[in-house]
């Protein structure tokens, strides 16, 4: 706690933490109330009680907001407060009552309770009726849907408390499936069951209208659990097989991607060693190169994710020709073209600039591409092409050095005069516009 600023802890203490659940070992999720506003917060710790991951939907730009700090304070307080109680009378009375009650009366009462509470009925059936059952992907999908139906029936909208109950039921239903998969990560059938779990939860997330992000967090917690077990695989062969199951299912068809698996693998790569990291990046880039990303609904996300993966791992020089510009995405395009120029691939960079200029409907959007072309033609000492680019740029930048260069390159007096008049008129127009604005 000493690493958190006193001012942050003071703010955090004013928040109210409620419905805190330990979704997985040392993975906590709760609602944190700041006045009348409520936020969905999650914090995960490692065995040393160090913070591993944290999230909050408050939108704060700070890395660790007061709501996360409030949850962390709550967790520490709860952990410290869980001391063995000496003779809890309430628990003792309950135990005695259960031991004394007539078995038939207890069964009858349980039947009535379960009949009125479908979510409890499902939990009971799963706990006592499926002990030895071998699940199939279809079973997992049905159980997952049944949990939702038990809580909200046929409604399309769910309150935060209902989503919380759904996630709790899923944790009971899915626990065996996830644990079996984590115990045998190279077993394809075990993976297919886990894959069915991820697919149906992601599908339900899109169909339920709710302000809670607990379903998203639930899915992330399951993937995080798998990622932790992946890192414990000792042989590279086992690791490659296990990671390959996810990589092979990123592309669903020519229009659909499993973006959650792509981001999952990016996280896995981030904590993997050199050889394993390079192997999976090579696989992902190979998949990307073999498709047409513009056909996917998430094609831009796909391209930018693979591009960032390659550039952050210093592999762009190897894969520079895999990437193409994304129409109207100037930030990505500028990064791509700038790197191509750095590596000396000037012809390719020039082609990409010209393509984007052709697509743009407004001249001001072309400025960054003109700058790149200026750089390219300057390197190549192609004064003819440089002059044509600077003619266009000067109408917006009014750069005096560029003006002098162009003026010195135009040999025909009439053409030079025409160009001068055009740029002076544009400059006067800009000055008048500024005056009107004032």
């Amino acid at each position: 706690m000493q690493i958190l600023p006193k001012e942050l802890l003071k703010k955090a203490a004013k928040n109210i933490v409620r419905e805190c659940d330990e979704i997985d070992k040392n993975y906590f999720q709760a609602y944190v109330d700041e006045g009348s506003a409520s936020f969905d917060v999650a914090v995960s710790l490692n065995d040393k009680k160090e913070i591993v991951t944290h999230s909050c939907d408050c939108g704060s730009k700070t890395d660790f907001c007061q709501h996360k700090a409030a949850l962390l304070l709550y967790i520490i307080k709860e952990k410290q407060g869980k001391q063995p109680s000496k003779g809890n009378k309430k628990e003792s009375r309950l135990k005695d009552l259960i031991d004394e009650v007539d078995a038939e009366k207890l069964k009858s009462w349980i039947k009535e309770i379960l009949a009125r509470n479908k979510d409890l009925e499902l939990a009971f059936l799963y706990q006592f009726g499926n002990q030895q059952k071998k699940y199939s992907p279809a079973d997992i999908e049905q159980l997952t849907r049944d949990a939702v139906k038990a809580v909200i029936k046929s409604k399309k909208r769910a309150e935060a408390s209902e989503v919380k109950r759904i996630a709790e039921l899923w944790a009971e239903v899915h626990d065996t499936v996830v644990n079996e998969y984590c115990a045998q990560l190279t077993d394809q059938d075990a993976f297919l069951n886990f894959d069915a779990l991820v697919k149906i939860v992601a599908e339900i997330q899109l169909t339920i209208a709710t302000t809670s992000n607990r379903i998203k967090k639930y899915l992330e917690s399951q993937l995080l659990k798998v990622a932790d077990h992946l890192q414990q695989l000792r042989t590279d062969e086992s690791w490659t097989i296990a990671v390959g199951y996810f990589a092979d299912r990123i592309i669903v068809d020519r229009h659909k991607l499993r973006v959650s698996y792509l981001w999952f693998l990016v996280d896995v790569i981030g904590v993997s060693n050199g050889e394993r990291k390079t192997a999976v990046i090579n696989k992902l880039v190979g998949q990307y190169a073999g498709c047409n990303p513009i056909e996917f609904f998430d094609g831009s996300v796909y391209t930018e994710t693979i591009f960032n993966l390659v550039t952050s791992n210093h592999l762009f020089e190897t894969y520079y020709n895999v990437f193409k510009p994304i129409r109207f995405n100037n930030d990505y395009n500028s990064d791509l073209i700038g790197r191509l120029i750095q590596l000396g691939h000037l012809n390719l960079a020039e082609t990409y600039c010209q393509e984007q200029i052709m697509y743009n409907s407004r001249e001001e959007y072309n400025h960054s591409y003109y700058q790149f072309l200026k750089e390219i033609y300057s390197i190549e000492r192609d004064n003819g092409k440089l002059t044509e680019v600077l003619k266009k740029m000067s109408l917006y930048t009014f750069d005096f050095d560029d003006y002098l260069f162009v003026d010195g390159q135009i040999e025909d007096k009439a053409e030079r005069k025409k160009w001068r008049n055009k740029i002076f008129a544009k400059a006067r127009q800009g000055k008048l516009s500024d005056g009107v604005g004032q």
Side-chain angles (χ1 to χ4, degrees):
M1 293 306 302
Q2 294 177 351
I3 62 171
L4 297 179
K6 289 183 179 179
E7 188 62 31
L8 177 63
L9 294 176
K10 192 181 295 184
K11 289 181 179 178
K14 297 178 182 178
N15 291 271
I16 298 173
V17 178
R18 57 185 175 84
E19 298 183 39
C20 180
D21 296 315
E22 189 169 4
I23 304 297
D24 204 349
K25 182 184 177 183
N26 291 332
Y27 182 85
F28 300 88
Q29 193 166 16
Y31 294 107
V32 177
D33 297 334
E34 180 192 357
S36 60
S38 183
F39 304 100
D40 206 335
V41 186
V43 172
S44 68
L45 310 172
N46 60 21
D47 292 335
K48 297 178 181 178
K49 305 306 177 188
E50 297 169 331
I51 299 170
V52 180
T53 63
H54 49 85
S55 65
C56 177
D57 58 2
C58 68
S60 172
K61 294 181 180 179
T62 59
D63 185 50
F64 203 84
C65 66
Q66 59 175 300
H67 313 111
K68 297 173 186 175
L71 177 55
L72 189 60
L73 287 172
Y74 180 88
I75 293 167
I76 292 171
K77 184 179 178 182
E78 285 293 300
K79 291 287 185 183
Q80 291 174 343
K82 285 185 178 178
Q83 303 295 334
S85 58
K86 296 181 180 179
N88 189 315
K89 291 183 180 180
K90 187 176 180 181
E91 287 184 5
S92 177
R93 173 61 182 147
L94 180 62
K95 182 179 182 302
D96 291 342
L97 190 58
I98 291 173
D99 290 339
E100 295 169 5
V101 72
D102 180 75
E104 292 303 318
K105 284 186 178 180
L106 180 60
K107 288 180 182 179
S108 178
W109 182 80
I110 290 173
K111 286 178 184 178
E112 291 178 12
I113 292 294
L114 296 181
R116 294 198 302 267
N117 298 272
K118 293 299 180 183
D119 54 337
L120 293 178
E121 181 182 28
L122 180 65
F124 184 89
L125 286 171
Y126 180 79
Q127 183 67 33
F128 298 103
N130 298 294
Q131 296 290 321
Q132 306 298 324
K133 181 174 175 59
K134 180 71 175 177
Y135 291 104
S136 69
D139 294 330
I140 294 162
E141 179 178 343
Q142 189 60 52
L143 283 168
T144 306
R145 290 189 186 280
D146 288 345
V148 177
K149 190 175 181 180
V151 177
I152 63 173
K153 299 180 175 60
S154 59
K155 292 193 302 181
K156 298 298 182 184
R157 179 174 292 278
E159 300 298 328
S161 59
E162 292 173 323
V163 175
K164 176 178 180 289
R165 184 56 187 145
I166 290 170
E168 290 171 344
L169 273 176
W170 279 348
E172 294 180 40
V173 170
H174 294 155
D175 189 55
T176 300
V177 174
V178 176
N179 287 340
E180 285 182 356
Y181 171 54
C182 287
Q184 44 187 346
L185 290 168
T186 58
D187 183 272
Q188 188 171 30
D189 289 339
F191 170 79
L192 289 176
N193 281 347
F194 180 77
D195 181 59
L197 182 160
V198 173
K199 282 195 287 191
I200 188 60
V201 171
E203 179 184 319
I204 290 170
Q205 181 186 355
L206 295 175
T207 58
I208 294 180
T210 181
T211 57
S212 172
N213 69 346
R214 195 169 284 258
I215 294 178
K216 176 175 176 287
K217 296 297 181 185
Y218 174 80
L219 196 53
E220 289 175 354
S221 72
Q222 300 303 327
L223 288 167
L224 179 63
K225 188 174 183 179
V226 172
D228 289 341
H229 281 79
L230 272 174
Q231 298 313 312
Q232 296 172 25
L233 290 174
R234 294 185 177 182
T235 69
D236 290 343
E237 181 183 2
S238 297
W239 189 87
T240 301
I241 291 171
V243 168
Y245 289 145
F246 290 93
D248 290 340
R249 284 162 180 80
I250 290 174
I251 298 176
V252 180
D253 55 44
R254 61 178 294 188
H255 297 300
K256 188 177 180 181
L257 294 167
R258 297 282 291 282
V259 177
S260 62
Y261 279 1
L262 178 61
W263 288 338
F264 167 76
L265 288 178
V266 170
D267 290 339
V268 169
I269 289 167
V271 293
S272 301
N273 64 34
E275 290 185 3
R276 290 183 174 185
K277 180 181 296 189
T278 303
V280 70
I281 292 175
N282 289 341
K283 183 177 181 66
L284 292 176
V285 176
Q287 286 179 330
Y288 175 82
C291 68
N292 186 0
I294 65 173
E295 293 184 342
F296 295 113
F297 295 121
D298 296 306
S300 294
V301 173
Y302 190 23
T303 295
E304 290 186 84
T305 303
I306 299 296
F307 179 78
N308 291 335
L309 200 56
V310 166
T311 55
S312 62
N313 287 281
H314 313 292
L315 293 170
F316 183 72
E317 189 169 359
T318 303
Y319 293 118
Y320 73 90
N321 59 345
V322 169
F323 302 99
K324 293 179 173 56
I326 301 173
R327 197 176 297 184
F328 310 128
N329 188 334
N330 289 335
D331 289 339
Y332 161 78
N333 294 342
S334 294
D335 196 357
L336 172 61
I337 294 168
R339 290 176 184 275
L340 289 171
I341 293 173
Q342 276 187 330
L343 291 176
H345 301 294
L346 303 182
N347 290 338
L348 190 56
E350 179 188 9
T351 299
Y352 288 167
C353 286
Q354 296 291 6
E355 286 176 353
Q356 298 314 301
I357 291 169
M358 179 178 66
Y359 294 139
N360 286 335
S361 58
R362 298 178 62 174
E363 187 68 22
E364 57 264 35
Y365 296 150
N366 295 329
H367 181 68
S368 60
Y369 302 111
Y370 287 147
Q371 288 283 8
F372 283 128
L373 288 175
K374 176 183 176 181
E375 184 178 355
I376 292 168
Y377 299 145
S378 297
I379 293 171
E380 295 178 333
R381 300 183 183 277
D382 190 329
N383 288 344
K385 288 184 177 180
L386 181 58
T387 299
E388 293 305 312
V389 168
L390 295 183
K391 278 183 181 180
K392 297 172 182 177
M393 288 182 63
S394 298
L395 295 173
Y396 298 93
T397 63
F398 305 113
D399 185 282
F400 189 62
D401 290 333
D402 291 346
Y403 168 81
L404 291 177
F405 180 86
V406 173
D407 195 60
Q409 292 294 314
I410 302 176
E411 296 180 357
D412 184 271
K413 291 183 179 180
E415 183 184 349
R416 189 188 306 123
K417 182 178 180 181
K418 182 179 179 181
W419 179 76
R420 285 178 177 175
N421 290 339
K422 186 176 182 179
I423 197 168
F424 290 153
K426 190 75 174 178
R428 284 195 298 271
Q429 182 182 354
K431 187 67 176 176
L432 286 171
S433 298
D434 291 342
V436 171
Q438 295 171 357

